Amino acid sequence: MGKITIIAKNIYENASGTIRNDAANIINQTNKRFIQNSDTGINYLDHQDRQPPTDIRITKVEGPFDGNDKLVDKIELGKSYSFKATPTRKPTITEIALLKWAIKLNEKQKEIIGGVASLNKLKDGRITIAFKINHDFEKARIYAFYQKPDDTVSVELSLRKINFPMLILQGTRRKGKRAIRDANGNILSTNETSLDMLYGDYSEDEIGFSKLYNELYTEEYNKLIKKGNPVESSHFRAKYLAENRMRNVREFCKKDNSKLFEIFKDKMWIYASGDIKVVVRDMVDKIRSNSGGEYSNKILTKAVINHENSINFISKVKEVINEYLTENKSIENLEIIDESNGKLFQSLKDKNVKSPIFDDNTSGLRIAINDVWTYQIYITRYKVNGNHFEMGLEYIYYDHFGLDFPDIHKYDQDIFYAWFVLQHFRNYKPFITKIDIVGELKGIL
């Protein structure tokens, strides 16, 4: 562009829009009046560098600090942290509000964090602010500035990586382990193998029969005494029932394994219904293979997913997770790293939520599972976007497909005698049924 020279007695420039004079030099000369009118103001300095609103500068940025004002080395997405900027002098109230903050994620352009002027506070000579970072990153840097962000006056952030799946909830009992009750009636898990997971623990002779008789008698006698029955009548009742059960056990011990499995499998068909009829026969075949371990079946899993008790249990689990995140805004402290039940367990207990039970006669699940021995719940993924979160959840139910001696007291039926003899006298291994359910949860922090 060149040079514009305007020479006149009177110069009028009136515009409701824009008048542009572009030149390296603009000279306006008049002997009378020079009038410029504009509805929106006149700017003569577009070609000059913008002058800073203040001479104050930031010399140091510190952070992140947690809610207890403790400097932390890693942050978690969606959780609020504070940062502190040290100025060259004490700022005025206006200058406190003028301080800008910016963030740079993964070597991208620096972005000014908007809407924070009112959040800037002066404390101990430093301007502080607290905010959340909701976007995942590999590298990040926070800046505080008046003119422009500078890497030498910033702080680098590291993200706390959470390993998934993360165990957040588990029942009181443990898979495959015996459970007892303390003096207050609370269930406690032990390191001993659960009675219904033992196998080959009775010899098929008088020693084994005597051992089982004593256990059956003691179990029934203690139960009767606890109910307030007289000692003498409790003794005769327990003796009668133990002898009755033992006669049946002895008779079934006379049968070969093929006959016992025939009874076991055929009677299973009677106790199940619908598609579960196929499942329970498959479960008997698993016992016959003597492989032990764990067992899963898609048909069985589908039936459990659709069962009202499972639906209600999962709904309550989601409810307590939502409540926790509403209050704590973070999953950081949910992970179970010991043998505890997890921070959410008490919330379930307060809502009277227990392990799912499938003891109805309509679903066909009673003989296959009955009640869940224990459960574990995992977060498999977690993402925060603004104030919204999304997580993957995995619910695992475990049950023991095996019998213990109290079962033949409760269930005086051929199927249970055949099953008990195969497991405890003939050394066939029980197994653990595993139901694996996946889902997701979305909500607002």
Side-chain angles (χ1 to χ4, degrees):
M1 293 184 184
K3 181 177 180 181
I4 299 175
T5 302
I6 303 173
I7 301 173
K9 291 183 178 180
N10 295 299
I11 298 173
Y12 297 90
E13 288 184 325
N14 298 311
S16 58
T18 299
I19 296 176
R20 292 187 57 183
N21 295 318
D22 297 324
N25 294 292
I26 298 176
I27 301 172
N28 294 316
Q29 296 180 351
T30 177
N31 293 325
K32 296 292 184 179
R33 293 183 298 166
F34 181 78
I35 302 171
Q36 289 180 308
N37 296 320
S38 171
D39 292 337
T40 58
I42 301 170
N43 184 358
Y44 298 105
L45 302 174
D46 286 344
H47 65 286
Q48 295 186 10
D49 291 337
R50 183 181 178 185
Q51 297 301 311
T54 177
D55 65 340
I56 195 170
R57 299 290 181 270
I58 298 300
T59 61
K60 185 179 182 181
V61 178
E62 299 171 89
F65 297 88
D66 64 15
N68 297 316
D69 204 30
K70 179 182 177 183
L71 185 64
V72 296
D73 58 349
K74 296 180 185 296
I75 70 164
E76 184 182 352
L77 296 180
K79 189 174 182 180
S80 183
Y81 296 90
S82 61
F83 297 86
K84 303 175 183 180
T86 303
T88 52
R89 60 171 172 76
K90 183 178 179 179
T92 65
I93 293 176
T94 301
E95 288 170 333
I96 293 172
L98 284 173
L99 181 66
K100 302 180 186 69
W101 297 85
I103 185 170
K104 182 170 73 172
L105 297 176
N106 300 327
E107 303 302 331
K108 294 181 181 179
Q109 289 187 343
K110 304 177 185 73
E111 295 184 9
I112 293 178
I113 302 171
V116 298
S118 63
L119 301 179
N120 288 332
K121 306 294 179 185
L122 185 65
K123 183 179 180 181
D124 299 327
R126 292 175 291 184
I127 302 174
T128 67
I129 193 170
F131 53 80
K132 304 173 187 176
I133 297 174
N134 295 322
H135 299 283
D136 197 4
F137 63 86
E138 293 297 327
K139 291 182 180 180
R141 190 169 286 276
I142 297 293
Y143 303 82
F145 62 97
Y146 282 99
Q147 279 192 285
K148 62 181 180 180
D150 185 345
D151 282 352
T152 63
V153 189
S154 64
V155 63
E156 189 173 348
L157 298 183
S158 295
L159 186 62
R160 180 182 183 270
K161 294 292 185 180
I162 299 175
N163 296 320
F164 296 108
M166 176 199 288
L167 178 63
I168 62 167
L169 252 175
Q170 58 183 350
T172 302
R173 297 181 289 196
R174 295 292 174 265
K175 179 177 66 171
K177 300 301 181 181
R178 185 181 180 187
I180 59 174
R181 290 189 181 273
D182 63 14
N184 297 319
N186 299 313
I187 297 176
L188 303 174
S189 183
T190 70
N191 289 322
E192 301 173 12
T193 301
S194 180
L195 294 179
D196 57 2
M197 292 301 291
L198 295 173
Y199 58 96
D201 47 325
Y202 298 96
S203 56
E204 208 165 334
D205 54 26
E206 289 305 316
I207 295 174
F209 294 149
S210 178
K211 173 187 174 183
L212 180 56
Y213 170 82
N214 289 332
E215 289 172 338
L216 290 168
Y217 170 84
T218 303
E219 168 82 7
E220 190 62 29
Y221 177 80
N222 289 339
K223 188 189 301 181
L224 292 167
I225 290 295
K226 190 175 181 179
K227 290 180 178 180
N229 292 286
V231 171
E232 187 175 1
S233 64
S234 296
H235 163 70
F236 284 112
R237 176 64 178 168
K239 183 174 181 292
Y240 168 78
L241 288 175
E243 289 175 347
N244 176 271
R245 302 298 186 266
M246 284 309 304
R247 277 195 297 271
N248 291 327
V249 169
R250 287 174 181 269
E251 284 299 313
F252 275 80
C253 280
K254 295 176 183 178
K255 303 179 187 296
D256 62 25
N257 290 345
S258 295
K259 185 62 178 177
L260 292 172
F261 272 111
E262 181 183 329
I263 296 169
F264 190 8
K265 197 167 188 175
D266 287 348
K267 298 297 182 182
M268 271 289 197
W269 182 266
I270 297 171
Y271 282 92
S273 62
D275 292 339
I276 304 302
K277 285 181 177 289
V278 178
V279 175
V280 294
R281 297 191 112 184
D282 188 49
M283 296 173 87
V284 174
D285 288 340
K286 167 80 171 169
I287 293 285
R288 193 164 200 164
S289 72
N290 211 16
S291 55
E294 292 184 355
Y295 172 84
S296 293
N297 184 289
K298 291 181 180 179
I299 297 173
L300 182 60
T301 298
K302 183 179 178 181
V304 170
I305 289 173
N306 294 328
H307 196 283
E308 181 183 6
N309 292 349
S310 182
I311 292 171
N312 291 338
F313 175 76
I314 289 174
S315 176
K316 289 297 182 182
V317 169
K318 289 181 176 180
E319 186 178 305
V320 299
I321 294 174
N322 253 323
E323 290 172 352
Y324 180 88
L325 287 178
T326 299
E327 181 178 351
N328 296 277
K329 314 298 183 185
S330 167
I331 65 170
E332 182 178 3
N333 296 318
L334 280 181
E335 184 174 14
I336 297 174
I337 57 175
D338 53 22
E339 285 299 309
S340 68
N341 304 115
K343 291 182 178 294
L344 300 178
F345 184 78
Q346 187 60 48
S347 297
L348 281 183
K349 191 174 181 181
D350 291 343
K351 295 177 184 291
N352 199 31
V353 179
K354 300 177 182 178
S355 298
I357 297 176
F358 310 102
D359 59 354
D360 59 281
N361 293 318
T362 56
S363 67
L365 291 173
R366 185 173 190 175
I367 191 69
I369 299 178
N370 194 20
D371 61 341
V372 172
W373 182 254
T374 193
Y375 61 85
Q376 291 183 320
I377 298 170
Y378 294 84
I379 296 176
T380 57
R381 56 182 170 79
Y382 183 67
K383 184 178 181 181
V384 175
N385 186 10
N387 291 328
H388 293 78
F389 73 87
E390 178 181 328
M391 67 171 63
L393 290 168
E394 182 178 19
Y395 313 84
I396 303 178
Y397 303 157
Y398 294 106
D399 188 50
H400 301 163
F401 194 71
L403 296 182
D404 53 22
F405 66 83
D407 286 326
I408 57 174
H409 251 324
K410 290 186 290 185
Y411 310 115
D412 184 23
Q413 302 290 330
D414 287 358
I415 181 177
F416 298 104
Y417 287 114
W419 186 351
F420 189 89
V421 169
L422 285 167
Q423 179 178 333
H424 292 280
F425 286 94
R426 303 288 170 83
N427 216 34
Y428 280 91
K429 298 175 184 177
F431 57 81
I432 294 174
T433 304
K434 179 182 178 182
I435 306 294
D436 198 336
I437 304 171
V438 295
E440 67 175 8
L441 175 63
K442 297 178 181 179
I444 300 174
L445 294 171

